[in-house]
mmCIF file of all heavy atoms in Angstrom:
data_model
loop_
_atom_site.group_PDB
_atom_site.id
_atom_site.type_symbol
_atom_site.label_atom_id
_atom_site.label_comp_id
_atom_site.label_asym_id
_atom_site.label_seq_id
_atom_site.Cartn_x
_atom_site.Cartn_y
_atom_site.Cartn_z
ATOM 1 N N GLU V 201 20.159 -13.420 -6.348
ATOM 2 C CA GLU V 201 20.428 -12.105 -5.725
ATOM 3 C C GLU V 201 20.342 -10.940 -6.697
ATOM 4 O O GLU V 201 19.751 -9.918 -6.414
ATOM 5 C CB GLU V 201 21.825 -12.118 -5.099
ATOM 6 C CG GLU V 201 21.883 -12.610 -3.665
ATOM 7 C CD GLU V 201 21.613 -11.489 -2.673
ATOM 8 O OE1 GLU V 201 21.469 -10.308 -3.096
ATOM 9 O OE2 GLU V 201 21.517 -11.778 -1.462
ATOM 10 N N ASN V 206 14.837 -3.620 -5.690
ATOM 11 C CA ASN V 206 14.847 -2.563 -4.688
ATOM 12 C C ASN V 206 13.545 -1.804 -4.800
ATOM 13 O O ASN V 206 13.205 -1.298 -5.878
ATOM 14 C CB ASN V 206 15.993 -1.567 -4.954
ATOM 15 C CG ASN V 206 17.314 -2.075 -4.471
ATOM 16 O OD1 ASN V 206 17.389 -2.746 -3.438
ATOM 17 N ND2 ASN V 206 18.365 -1.775 -5.194
ATOM 18 N N VAL V 207 12.829 -1.727 -3.702
ATOM 19 C CA VAL V 207 11.560 -1.007 -3.721
ATOM 20 C C VAL V 207 11.655 0.220 -2.823
ATOM 21 O O VAL V 207 12.100 0.123 -1.677
ATOM 22 C CB VAL V 207 10.400 -1.903 -3.232
ATOM 23 C CG1 VAL V 207 9.101 -1.120 -3.171
ATOM 24 C CG2 VAL V 207 10.250 -3.122 -4.135
ATOM 25 N N SER V 230 9.549 -12.755 0.379
ATOM 26 C CA SER V 230 10.799 -12.070 0.720
ATOM 27 C C SER V 230 11.922 -12.316 -0.278
ATOM 28 O O SER V 230 12.773 -11.459 -0.469
ATOM 29 C CB SER V 230 11.242 -12.466 2.122
ATOM 30 O OG SER V 230 11.307 -13.878 2.214
ATOM 31 N N PHE V 233 12.807 -9.626 -2.937
ATOM 32 C CA PHE V 233 13.286 -8.282 -2.584
ATOM 33 C C PHE V 233 14.719 -8.268 -2.096
ATOM 34 O O PHE V 233 15.144 -9.113 -1.333
ATOM 35 C CB PHE V 233 12.379 -7.678 -1.518
ATOM 36 C CG PHE V 233 10.941 -7.586 -1.946
ATOM 37 C CD1 PHE V 233 10.036 -8.602 -1.639
ATOM 38 C CD2 PHE V 233 10.494 -6.507 -2.694
ATOM 39 C CE1 PHE V 233 8.716 -8.542 -2.054
ATOM 40 C CE2 PHE V 233 9.176 -6.442 -3.118
ATOM 41 C CZ PHE V 233 8.281 -7.457 -2.799
ATOM 42 N N LYS V 234 15.444 -7.264 -2.555
ATOM 43 C CA LYS V 234 16.763 -7.028 -2.009
ATOM 44 C C LYS V 234 16.635 -6.060 -0.839
ATOM 45 O O LYS V 234 17.111 -6.293 0.242
ATOM 46 C CB LYS V 234 17.682 -6.460 -3.092
ATOM 47 C CG LYS V 234 19.143 -6.390 -2.727
ATOM 48 C CD LYS V 234 19.988 -5.840 -3.891
ATOM 49 C CE LYS V 234 19.608 -6.492 -5.207
ATOM 50 N NZ LYS V 234 20.130 -5.821 -6.399
ATOM 51 N N LYS V 235 15.949 -4.957 -1.093
ATOM 52 C CA LYS V 235 15.864 -3.915 -0.073
ATOM 53 C C LYS V 235 14.581 -3.129 -0.225
ATOM 54 O O LYS V 235 14.113 -2.866 -1.341
ATOM 55 C CB LYS V 235 17.075 -2.981 -0.211
ATOM 56 C CG LYS V 235 17.085 -1.827 0.779
ATOM 57 C CD LYS V 235 18.461 -1.222 0.977
ATOM 58 C CE LYS V 235 19.066 -0.654 -0.286
ATOM 59 N NZ LYS V 235 20.360 0.015 -0.004
ATOM 60 N N ILE V 236 14.009 -2.743 0.934
ATOM 61 C CA ILE V 236 12.881 -1.812 0.939
ATOM 62 C C ILE V 236 13.399 -0.508 1.545
ATOM 63 O O ILE V 236 13.936 -0.508 2.658
ATOM 64 C CB ILE V 236 11.713 -2.306 1.825
ATOM 65 C CG1 ILE V 236 11.313 -3.747 1.479
ATOM 66 C CG2 ILE V 236 10.530 -1.358 1.732
ATOM 67 C CD1 ILE V 236 10.712 -3.921 0.131
ATOM 68 N N THR V 237 13.233 0.581 0.813
ATOM 69 C CA THR V 237 13.641 1.885 1.320
ATOM 70 C C THR V 237 12.403 2.723 1.593
ATOM 71 O O THR V 237 11.607 2.965 0.697
ATOM 72 C CB THR V 237 14.523 2.619 0.291
ATOM 73 O OG1 THR V 237 15.659 1.795 -0.012
ATOM 74 C CG2 THR V 237 14.981 3.960 0.835
ATOM 75 N N ILE V 238 12.256 3.133 2.851
ATOM 76 C CA ILE V 238 11.142 4.020 3.196
ATOM 77 C C ILE V 238 11.629 5.457 3.058
ATOM 78 O O ILE V 238 12.682 5.824 3.616
ATOM 79 C CB ILE V 238 10.658 3.801 4.639
ATOM 80 C CG1 ILE V 238 10.350 2.326 4.894
ATOM 81 C CG2 ILE V 238 9.463 4.692 4.957
ATOM 82 C CD1 ILE V 238 9.192 1.787 4.115
ATOM 83 N N ARG V 253 8.993 -2.817 11.270
ATOM 84 C CA ARG V 253 10.306 -2.929 10.657
ATOM 85 C C ARG V 253 10.890 -4.316 10.870
ATOM 86 O O ARG V 253 11.490 -4.905 9.969
ATOM 87 C CB ARG V 253 11.232 -1.843 11.231
ATOM 88 C CG ARG V 253 12.610 -1.891 10.632
ATOM 89 C CD ARG V 253 13.457 -0.701 11.045
ATOM 90 N NE ARG V 253 14.698 -0.699 10.249
ATOM 91 C CZ ARG V 253 15.402 0.396 9.966
ATOM 92 N NH1 ARG V 253 15.005 1.576 10.408
ATOM 93 N NH2 ARG V 253 16.508 0.312 9.242
ATOM 94 N N LEU V 256 9.838 -7.175 8.457
ATOM 95 C CA LEU V 256 10.564 -7.204 7.188
ATOM 96 C C LEU V 256 11.964 -7.789 7.382
ATOM 97 O O LEU V 256 12.408 -8.668 6.628
ATOM 98 C CB LEU V 256 10.676 -5.792 6.607
ATOM 99 C CG LEU V 256 9.407 -5.210 5.998
ATOM 100 C CD1 LEU V 256 9.538 -3.695 5.861
ATOM 101 C CD2 LEU V 256 9.145 -5.841 4.645
ATOM 102 N N GLU V 257 12.658 -7.301 8.399
ATOM 103 C CA GLU V 257 14.033 -7.750 8.609
ATOM 104 C C GLU V 257 14.075 -9.233 8.969
ATOM 105 O O GLU V 257 14.931 -9.981 8.470
ATOM 106 C CB GLU V 257 14.694 -6.873 9.675
ATOM 107 C CG GLU V 257 14.966 -5.459 9.142
ATOM 108 C CD GLU V 257 15.385 -4.474 10.223
ATOM 109 O OE1 GLU V 257 15.070 -4.719 11.416
ATOM 110 O OE2 GLU V 257 16.019 -3.462 9.896
ATOM 111 N N ALA V 259 12.156 -11.381 7.866
ATOM 112 C CA ALA V 259 11.901 -12.141 6.646
ATOM 113 C C ALA V 259 13.113 -12.111 5.723
ATOM 114 O O ALA V 259 13.104 -12.682 4.631
ATOM 115 C CB ALA V 259 10.682 -11.578 5.931
ATOM 116 N N GLY V 260 14.177 -11.421 6.140
ATOM 117 C CA GLY V 260 15.404 -11.394 5.346
ATOM 118 C C GLY V 260 15.463 -10.248 4.353
ATOM 119 O O GLY V 260 16.264 -10.264 3.411
ATOM 120 N N ILE V 261 14.635 -9.223 4.539
ATOM 121 C CA ILE V 261 14.649 -8.087 3.618
ATOM 122 C C ILE V 261 15.338 -6.906 4.302
ATOM 123 O O ILE V 261 14.979 -6.534 5.426
ATOM 124 C CB ILE V 261 13.212 -7.661 3.230
ATOM 125 C CG1 ILE V 261 12.426 -8.866 2.670
ATOM 126 C CG2 ILE V 261 13.234 -6.515 2.224
ATOM 127 C CD1 ILE V 261 10.954 -8.574 2.444
ATOM 128 N N ASP V 262 16.322 -6.317 3.638
ATOM 129 C CA ASP V 262 16.977 -5.131 4.182
ATOM 130 C C ASP V 262 16.001 -3.965 4.227
ATOM 131 O O ASP V 262 15.209 -3.776 3.295
ATOM 132 C CB ASP V 262 18.160 -4.699 3.286
ATOM 133 C CG ASP V 262 19.375 -5.577 3.515
ATOM 134 O OD1 ASP V 262 19.392 -6.346 4.503
ATOM 135 O OD2 ASP V 262 20.309 -5.501 2.681
ATOM 136 N N VAL V 263 16.092 -3.175 5.260
ATOM 137 C CA VAL V 263 15.233 -1.991 5.373
ATOM 138 C C VAL V 263 16.094 -0.760 5.555
ATOM 139 O O VAL V 263 17.007 -0.742 6.376
ATOM 140 C CB VAL V 263 14.264 -2.106 6.562
ATOM 141 C CG1 VAL V 263 13.407 -0.837 6.666
ATOM 142 C CG2 VAL V 263 13.392 -3.341 6.431
ATOM 143 N N ASN V 264 15.777 0.246 4.776
ATOM 144 C CA ASN V 264 16.520 1.496 4.828
ATOM 145 C C ASN V 264 15.508 2.631 5.002
ATOM 146 O O ASN V 264 14.389 2.552 4.490
ATOM 147 C CB ASN V 264 17.285 1.651 3.497
ATOM 148 C CG ASN V 264 18.280 2.779 3.545
ATOM 149 O OD1 ASN V 264 18.697 3.220 4.614
ATOM 150 N ND2 ASN V 264 18.666 3.264 2.371
#
Side-chain angles (χ1 to χ4, degrees):
Chain V
E201 272 274 355
N206 280 324
V207 176
S230 54
F233 302 94
K234 190 179 314 166
K235 179 160 60 176
I236 309 293
T237 303
I238 307 294
R253 180 172 189 153
L256 286 163
E257 289 170 337
I261 306 172
D262 282 348
V263 179
N264 191 20

